[in-house]
Amino acid sequence: MLEDVVFADLTAELPSAVRLQRLVRALREYFHCGAVGLLRLDGEALCPVAVDGLTREALGRRFVVAQHPRLAAILARRETVAFPPDSSLPDPYDGLVDNQLGDPLPVHDCMGVSLHVEGSLWGALTLDALTPGTFDERAQDDLQRFTLLVEAAVRMTRLEQDVRRLRLSRSDTAKDTSERHQGEIIGQSLVIRQLLDELVVVADSELPVLLTGETGVGKELFARHLHQRSRRRRRPLIQINCAALPESLAESELFGHVKGAFSGAGKTRAGRFEAADGGTLFLDEVGELPLAIQAKLLRTLQNGEIQRLGEDVPRHVDVRIIAATNRKLHDSVRDGHFRADLYHRLSVYPVPIPPLRERGSDVLVLAGHFLELNRARLGVRSLRLSSAAEDALSGYDWPGNVRELEHVISRAAIKALSQGARREDIVTLEPGLLDLPLAGAQPIASAEPLQDAPVEALHDSVARTQRQAIRHALERAGGNWSAAARRLEVDSSNLHKLARRLGIK
């Protein structure tokens, strides 16, 4: 019985994600339907929390309620809402129901119910079927009856998250939900979940943070994520792109100037440090700062004082610094392009952002997010990936990371429409529209070795490969170290020792 399964999971010590995933799977089996989705209301959009029977990329979608009349109708009532096969209202899951053949299939039957926790609207549960007549009156009554069980599971998950949040953060600050989710980081991979857990603690400190990683990994998004979860979240976050600062104007932009300080200074102007007073200053591409400005920045970080250009009196500022760079700053220090003392001041807590190729199936989750954005932007009924396109995305190396993925999806959607796809249809993106190099294609080796090509140290190369293999095995094993050890065919205790040596654990 479904009730027995749900009650057993409520009393068992299960991770929240596992409990909710088991719940939607049990509901799908009970109702013999194509897909079940559990969605949390986040501002104006419904965000999938757990799905069964939908494509992987559905987890990355954000369904703006105003754009989806079926979801709006479900949220508007407390009772089960069913839509007949001939309903004229578009279904948000058209083409997203997982299908082994890879063909887009329209949803025929749909029903759902709104979920409430502690008297407030929490989200919705949706069920979809490819066979007309699946959801008869009995099925609708059963869903209404099971609503209390689903709400109990959601409430349990919410309580666990609240307890965890209280352990990690101060209890005297209220969270502004809409503000916090502006910097949402989308991803289900183990490496991202571990990083987000770490950032919860880091955000609440006052330590300077140095975000490192390749171009396009989303360092600005992580900076916003840190600020919105810090004690300074109600104060400004000021961003400055150091790479775009001309050396002649860098000092004025950072510290301000008085009238007449230089040619063209027609009035007194505060700098970015003063604008960020009490909040956070995000120094993007900090490795591009000129050496002369680095010295003045260091003095500010040491004593908390700035001096406007042309002014003799110093001013005190209270600013937390988050810096970001795609450079290896320790190499810049060695080469004399970056001050060692400033580097150590900025990198009190370094945070490496993993590249997209190390995030496993996150590429499909993020693709789903960008598909939904483009579906709404272009006015398409449904925008999806073919199974071959999913394979192409998963097999590509993504040198441009998340930013490149966003551009690839946007271009493919526009190309599909320009080549005759109709907005009222389920538009499927095929690999040819993605314009990606062949997955796994290797460049032809040169007959003669490149004498000047940089060679990675053997120890570093082996360590990097080991980290990737362990993270991939953990992702496939759902975070279970014993199962990961079996996949890697190594002893479990040896895997733990190796993970600690590599800094994974």
Side-chain angles (χ1 to χ4, degrees), residues 226-392:
L226 279 167
H227 174 73
Q228 290 166 2
R229 284 151 183 80
S230 74
R231 305 174 188 180
R232 300 171 179 262
R233 61 184 165 275
R234 301 194 185 281
R235 302 294 295 170
L237 169 65
I238 303 299
Q239 176 179 351
I240 185 165
N241 185 350
C242 300
L245 281 178
E247 186 170 356
S248 59
L249 297 178
E251 183 177 357
S252 171
E253 281 293 321
L254 286 170
F255 309 114
H257 63 261
V258 297
K259 182 178 179 180
F262 53 86
S263 177
K267 59 181 180 179
T268 298
R269 180 176 179 273
R272 302 296 179 93
F273 266 94
E274 287 183 78
D277 192 21
T280 304
L281 181 63
F282 175 42
L283 300 172
D284 197 10
E285 302 299 345
V286 69
E288 308 300 326
L289 277 177
L291 280 169
I293 303 302
Q294 291 179 28
K296 296 179 179 180
L297 175 60
L298 176 64
R299 287 199 298 271
T300 299
L301 297 182
Q302 288 174 332
N303 56 31
E305 291 183 343
I306 63 159
Q307 195 164 320
R308 289 181 177 177
L309 194 60
E311 189 174 65
D312 296 329
V313 180
R315 298 167 180 262
H316 180 77
V317 290
D318 174 23
V319 173
R320 182 189 189 180
I321 296 294
I322 298 176
T325 182
N326 58 10
R327 288 179 176 266
K328 294 183 178 180
L329 284 189
H330 51 80
D331 289 345
S332 298
V333 171
R334 181 197 60 205
D335 297 338
H337 301 312
F338 202 84
R339 294 180 61 106
D341 43 9
L342 178 59
Y343 168 66
H344 293 302
R345 279 279 179 177
L346 292 174
S347 62
V348 174
Y349 201 97
V351 177
I353 310 299
L356 184 56
R357 62 181 169 275
E358 294 182 7
R359 292 177 55 177
S361 59
D362 275 0
V363 64
L364 297 182
V365 175
L366 287 161
H369 175 66
F370 297 133
L371 283 167
E372 181 62 22
L373 290 178
N374 281 279
R375 185 207 61 78
R377 186 182 300 140
L378 299 173
V380 178
R381 170 189 170 189
S382 178
L383 193 60
R384 68 186 295 273
L385 297 168
S386 69
S387 57
E390 290 182 349
D391 292 341

Side-chain angles (χ1 to χ4, degrees), residues 1-79:
M1 289 292 292
L2 179 62
E3 294 95 329
D4 297 334
V5 173
V6 176
F7 276 128
D9 285 352
L10 286 175
T11 56
E13 293 186 6
L14 293 173
S16 300
V18 174
R19 179 184 297 112
L20 296 180
Q21 187 61 44
R22 285 166 60 93
L23 172 65
V24 295
R25 183 175 296 119
L27 286 167
R28 184 185 175 197
E29 291 174 356
Y30 179 87
F31 287 98
H32 304 290
C33 59
V36 176
L38 180 64
L39 303 97
R40 184 191 73 248
L41 185 62
D42 182 8
E44 299 177 349
L46 281 167
C47 307
V49 175
V51 299
D52 194 66
L54 295 177
T55 57
R56 177 73 180 177
E57 47 95 352
L59 283 170
R61 299 196 178 229
R62 299 298 178 259
F63 299 101
V64 178
V65 177
Q67 298 173 2
H68 296 283
R70 293 200 189 200
L71 296 178
I74 292 171
L75 292 180
R77 299 180 59 185
R78 290 298 298 265
E79 300 82 15

